Amino acid sequence: MRRQASTRRDGWEKTIEAQGLAYHRSAHPVHLARPYWDEGVQYVFTMEEILALESQVDELHGMCLAAVEHVISAGRYRDFAIPDWVAPEIEASWRRGDPHVYGRFDLRYDGRGPAKLLEYNADTPTSLVESSIVQWFWLQDVHPGDDQWNSIHERLIDRWRELPLQSGPAHFSWTNMDETGEEAMTLGYLQETAEQAGLATVAVAMEDIGWDPRALRFVDMENRVIRTLCKLYPWEWAVADPFGPQAVRQQVSMTWIEPLWKMLLSNKALLAVLWEMHPGHPNLLPAYLDGPRDLRAHIVKPLLGREGAGMRIVTPEGAQSTEGSYGAEGHVYQEFLALPDFDGWRPVLGAWVVGDEAAGLGIRETSGLITDDSSSFVPHRIAP
C-alpha cells in the first residue's frame, strides 16, 4: 500500500459532476483549498493486500450478524439506547429475516498488519457514488490496464434482483433537510441500480410521505401505497419522529431498506459487544461501554454520532475534541490508534458490503486524527 501523486484530468470537475458527484462542492467546507474529490493523489495496493482485506471484511460482517443475534437474545437494547417499545419490533424484524442491501465498514489499515474496525455504517452509508462509479471511470481514464477493488455496482443490481419485494414500485426517499444534494444523488444512484435490476421505482421526499388512517399504510403524493421504501433517514431519527410508531410497526407489511434490525449495527455500542464476543481479535480494537478501563489512549465516541462529531481523544500527551451535539444517548470507549501517516495525510478505508459479501473500497483522508466533513475522497487502484 502506497500513496502516489497523480495528474488531474483536464476538466475533471465537469466529468465527475456528469457521473453523479454533483455535490462535491456543496458537501465540502468552502474554506478548504483542497477539493472533496482529489484525483491529484491515489492509493496503490497489491492484489495480495486486497484479497486479504476482502477476507477480513467478510469475517467482520459475519461477526456483526452474530452480534445482532447475541444482543437480541440477551435483550441488551439499553446498551444501545434503544427505546423499550422499539425492541420487540427489532427482534421481529431480525427473526423474519427482513432483507438488507448494503453497508460500509470504516477501517484503519497501513499495509503492514490486519485492518482494524473503527465503525460500521450499516444503516445510512454515504460516499457510494464516488466509491462505485466516479473512481471506476477515473481508473478507466487514467490507468485502463489496472484493476480496482470495486464490484459495488454489479453487486447492487444483483442484490435488488434477489430481494423478495412486494408488488408495486419501490420508493426511494430523500429528505428536504439535505442542503448539499448528497443524499438525493446517493438515493438517485440506488434507484438507478434498482431500475437496472428490472424494478419499477418512484422518487419521493420523506416530507411528502403521508399516512392513510383508514388503510393504516404509508402513501406517496399520488396516494399509492408504499410497499418498499429505500431511505437515508436514520432509524434513530425515525423512531423519535411523530410518525415513528407507524414506521416501526409497518415492518411486517413493508420492506424497508435498510431494515429496522440494522439499528444494532449502525450503533457504536456494537464495537464493545464485538470486543466482548471476540477479545483479542486481530481486526478489532478494545472497546467498552462503562469507561476506558485500562486503555492507555482512547477515543470517546457517541453511540449515534456522525461525521466525526462529538468525539474526544485522550492520550498521555493530552486530549482533543470535535464539536457536535451527539452524546446524550451515551458513549463507547475505544482504544485510540492513530490513523497511519502517508505524507502527512491519514486515510480511512471504507470497505463496502453488498448483501453479505465484501464488494469494494473507497478511501477518505484527512490531515487530522478524525475523519470528518473536511476529509477528501481519494481514488485507488491495484498495481499489476
Side-chain angles (χ1 to χ4, degrees):
M1 177 185 179
R2 70 179 187 273
R3 187 178 189 270
Q4 176 179 307
S6 298
T7 300
R8 295 184 175 92
R9 294 167 294 176
D10 291 338
W12 63 269
E13 297 100 328
K14 291 184 178 179
T15 297
I16 66 172
E17 289 166 7
Q19 292 163 355
L21 199 58
Y23 51 85
H24 71 101
R25 304 176 198 271
S26 57
H28 202 50
V30 295
H31 66 277
L32 298 177
R34 188 183 186 190
Y36 170 67
W37 166 268
D38 191 357
E39 60 183 63
V41 293
Q42 59 182 274
Y43 281 88
V44 185
F45 297 83
T46 66
M47 182 60 75
E48 291 75 17
E49 288 174 325
I50 293 299
L51 291 175
L53 283 168
E54 186 176 37
S55 176
Q56 291 169 52
V57 169
D58 283 337
E59 182 176 1
L60 281 170
H61 179 66
M63 291 161 55
C64 287
L65 295 181
V68 173
E69 175 62 34
H70 165 75
V71 171
I72 290 174
S73 297
R76 297 184 58 180
Y77 298 102
R78 293 192 178 182
D79 286 340
F80 289 70
I82 289 174
D84 291 342
W85 67 271
V86 181
E89 301 296 342
I90 291 178
E91 179 173 3
S93 174
W94 173 251
R95 299 296 179 212
R96 278 192 308 268
D98 288 351
H100 59 105
V101 172
Y102 71 136
R104 192 193 78 233
F105 285 106
D106 283 352
L107 306 171
R108 182 199 185 276
Y109 181 71
D110 58 10
R112 295 188 294 272
K116 300 289 187 181
L117 175 62
L118 301 176
E119 61 181 78
Y120 193 7
N121 300 279
D123 181 25
T124 59
T126 53
S127 76
L128 180 63
V129 174
E130 43 270 58
S131 297
S132 179
I133 297 296
V134 180
Q135 70 168 340
W136 176 255
F137 283 113
W138 166 85
L139 182 75
Q140 304 312 304
D141 288 345
V142 180
H143 298 282
D146 289 1
D147 203 353
Q148 189 176 82
W149 184 16
N150 192 355
S151 60
I152 302 169
H153 186 77
E154 297 80 7
R155 289 182 184 271
L156 283 171
I157 295 171
D158 289 343
R159 185 58 177 164
W160 288 118
R161 289 174 176 152
E162 295 169 354
L163 298 186
L165 300 180
Q166 302 180 46
S167 61
H171 287 71
F172 289 76
S173 186
W174 73 97
T175 173
N176 290 327
M177 292 187 296
D178 171 32
E179 298 179 351
T180 67
E182 180 179 15
E183 184 176 322
M185 293 304 298
T186 301
L187 282 159
Y189 171 62
L190 285 167
Q191 184 176 356
E192 180 182 341
T193 61
E195 290 176 348
Q196 290 184 29
L199 300 182
T201 68
V202 174
V204 62
M206 290 290 289
E207 290 80 2
D208 289 335
I209 294 175
W211 175 254
D212 186 333
R214 290 177 297 178
L216 300 179
R217 299 294 296 268
F218 287 109
V219 294
D220 65 15
M221 292 290 286
E222 304 298 323
N223 212 37
R224 288 173 294 204
V225 171
I226 298 176
R227 294 181 171 87
T228 299
L229 182 65
C230 180
K231 47 91 182 156
L232 282 176
Y233 197 76
W235 270 115
E236 64 265 20
W237 295 3
V239 301
D241 280 350
F243 69 85
Q246 290 97 321
V248 168
R249 290 171 182 134
Q250 281 291 306
Q251 296 294 302
V252 70
S253 58
M254 285 177 60
T255 299
W256 295 75
I257 304 300
E258 293 294 302
L260 187 62
W261 59 263
K262 279 286 192 86
M263 285 188 77
L264 300 179
L265 294 185
S266 61
N267 188 304
K268 293 179 185 63
L270 171 72
L271 301 170
V273 172
L274 286 172
W275 186 252
E276 289 176 26
M277 296 176 68
H278 307 276
H281 192 283
N283 296 125
L284 299 177
L285 293 168
Y288 309 103
L289 291 170
D290 58 357
R293 298 192 186 180
D294 58 351
L295 296 176
R296 181 174 179 273
H298 67 273
I299 181 169
V300 186
K301 298 181 175 181
L303 299 185
L304 301 174
R306 295 174 176 274
E307 287 284 357
M311 293 191 179
R312 179 175 173 82
I313 296 173
V314 181
T315 69
E317 291 73 37
Q320 59 178 280
S321 302
T322 59
E323 296 182 356
S325 58
Y326 301 103
E329 71 280 5
H331 299 82
V332 67
Y333 302 80
Q334 186 182 46
E335 180 181 43
F336 175 70
L337 189 61
L339 296 171
D341 188 323
F342 288 80
D343 304 321
W345 294 94
R346 300 178 182 274
V348 166
L349 273 59
W352 290 90
V353 174
V354 177
D356 292 309
E357 296 182 331
L361 175 66
I363 301 174
R364 292 182 69 184
E365 64 175 15
T366 177
S367 60
L369 296 176
I370 296 175
T371 305
D372 56 20
D373 63 354
S374 69
S375 305
S376 292
F377 189 100
V378 174
H380 80 277
R381 64 184 175 93
I382 304 172

